[in-house]
Amino acid sequence: MRSRDSATDSVRMAYRRMVRGANIALLTVVLFAPVLFGEQGRGDAPANPAPNPPAPASPSGDPAGGGARAGGRGPAGTIVRGPNGEMWGYSDSAFNEGSKWRIHDADRPQPPLVTPAGPLTILPPSDAIVLFDGKDLSAWVTRGRGSAAPTPPEWAVHDGYFESGPGGGISTKESFGDVQLHLEFATPATVDGSSQSRGNSGVIFMGRYEIQVLDSYDNRTYADGMAASIYGEWPPLVNAARKPGEWQSYDIIFEAPKFTGRPSPGYFTVLWNGVMVHNRQQLLGPTAAIMTPHRYAAHDPELPLYLQQHGNRVRYRNMWIRRLKGDN
């Protein structure tokens, strides 16, 4: 009897260990899967984009082409305004996971000011893909909604630079994953407007993940929407803005999120006018949503780069990109 009882006890203990192990595995999936692949919220990009993805929707509700930011934000939040009516942020937007600040929180501290020496003008290395050589926009297209075929950009090319203009945002003909990007930009020399209505554009990776372009020289807006911010997620460490009309530079290392093999989030490293403002900062998901937390939805490993048209005449020059190849 004792040996039979011992065998029975052994079976029971093995069963309990198996159930406990299964529960731990299930809990792991429940806890960590939403972080990488969270449910597609309003404003998130589709999991399986079309070969010619539609032009992104505007965060302000404007039709695409009138200042679009990828994905939209869903319902509008309650705006907080400064003493002269300028937009400072929102009071009832969502919290991103792990953040004590709301998305576009009006009370989020402004980064300290740093005076940069000037833009970094770096010529493309031999393995770079030149996105603008000062002559034409042959590397770019305008993508219409739905299945509409891409068309040539309508943005004007002047003396060695091009300028955001009619026809909505433009995107690269080629698709990219992990990249190094260099670009130089200048917001309008004549100051017109305030907050997000002043020199607004954006560099949007994979049509989802934006580094903001804005005139942030003596121009308060929500901290996570100023120039060089990871839009709606992380302000730059410092404000290294130059004066309106002066050339500025971004040097960006983008590590795209991975959804197969060993899944991982995306990361941004950004130098603004030669000043480090993001040091491999983790990307929380598509950056457009305001009223829902940013969460990933799986997408292709390579997608086009997108330049936003937001109703302001922002100039660009000396733009090139390098694919970053590794063993991962």
Side-chain angles (χ1 to χ4, degrees):
M1 291 293 293
R2 181 168 298 178
S3 61
R4 183 179 302 172
D5 290 342
S6 297
T8 302
D9 290 342
S10 297
V11 171
R12 287 174 178 168
M13 291 178 64
Y15 176 76
R16 288 171 183 165
R17 284 196 296 269
M18 180 180 69
V19 171
R20 186 163 55 247
N23 287 339
I24 291 173
L26 177 60
L27 182 61
T28 300
V29 171
V30 170
L31 287 176
F32 292 102
V35 175
L36 291 177
F37 307 106
E39 292 180 7
Q40 186 174 321
R42 284 170 290 184
D44 289 348
N48 297 302
N52 295 319
S58 168
S60 58
D62 297 334
R69 172 169 283 113
R73 75 174 186 221
T78 302
I79 295 176
V80 176
R81 297 193 181 276
N84 298 313
E86 67 274 28
M87 180 182 179
W88 279 7
Y90 295 85
S91 63
D92 56 357
S93 52
F95 289 92
N96 280 323
E97 186 170 356
S99 177
K100 66 179 181 179
W101 304 105
R102 295 182 182 273
I103 299 171
H104 304 335
D105 197 321
D107 295 326
R108 192 165 188 168
Q110 299 288 307
L113 299 176
V114 166
T115 303
L120 286 181
T121 297
I122 304 173
L123 297 179
S126 61
D127 64 345
I129 297 169
V130 176
L131 298 178
F132 181 67
D133 62 0
K135 299 176 182 177
D136 59 53
L137 292 173
S138 58
W140 299 84
V141 293
T142 297
R143 300 182 190 273
R145 292 186 179 276
S147 59
T151 58
E154 298 180 37
W155 293 13
V157 176
H158 298 285
D159 298 328
Y161 67 87
F162 67 95
E163 187 175 64
S164 59
I170 62 175
S171 58
T172 55
K173 290 180 178 178
E174 294 192 47
S175 293
F176 303 96
D178 296 353
V179 292
Q180 173 188 352
L181 175 69
H182 175 86
L183 64 90
E184 296 163 32
F185 69 94
T187 60
T190 301
V191 174
D192 182 16
S194 63
S195 186
Q196 294 292 300
S197 298
R198 186 168 145 184
N200 196 326
S201 183
V203 185
I204 305 178
F205 293 75
M206 311 187 99
R208 294 157 170 78
Y209 312 117
E210 179 178 7
I211 298 297
Q212 173 75 308
V213 172
L214 194 74
D215 179 359
S216 287
Y217 188 89
D218 193 22
N219 177 36
R220 175 170 171 170
T221 188
Y222 38 84
D224 63 4
M226 64 172 289
S229 64
I230 301 175
Y231 191 77
E233 295 185 2
W234 303 104
L237 295 173
V238 296
N239 183 345
R242 303 193 75 213
K243 294 179 180 179
E246 296 183 348
W247 285 102
Q248 309 193 53
S249 65
Y250 284 164
D251 288 279
I252 303 170
I253 305 297
F254 173 62
E255 300 172 57
K258 308 296 190 296
F259 301 100
T260 59
R262 181 181 295 176
S264 64
Y267 295 90
F268 273 114
T269 298
V270 181
L271 280 77
W272 178 14
N273 294 324
V275 179
M276 174 77 77
V277 293
H278 294 292
N279 184 10
R280 201 168 186 262
Q281 180 61 65
Q282 181 173 324
L283 179 64
L284 303 178
T287 56
I290 289 179
M291 304 307 290
T292 57
H294 296 175
R295 291 182 176 175
Y296 288 105
H299 55 71
D300 293 344
E302 292 191 348
L303 289 166
L305 182 75
Y306 182 89
L307 284 183
Q308 182 190 53
Q309 205 290 93
H310 206 283
N312 300 137
R313 298 279 184 174
V314 177
R315 298 176 176 181
Y316 291 96
R317 72 179 186 188
N318 189 23
M319 187 180 299
W320 51 263
I321 195 168
R322 297 178 61 244
R323 288 189 172 91
L324 302 180
K325 299 177 181 179
D327 297 331
N328 49 345

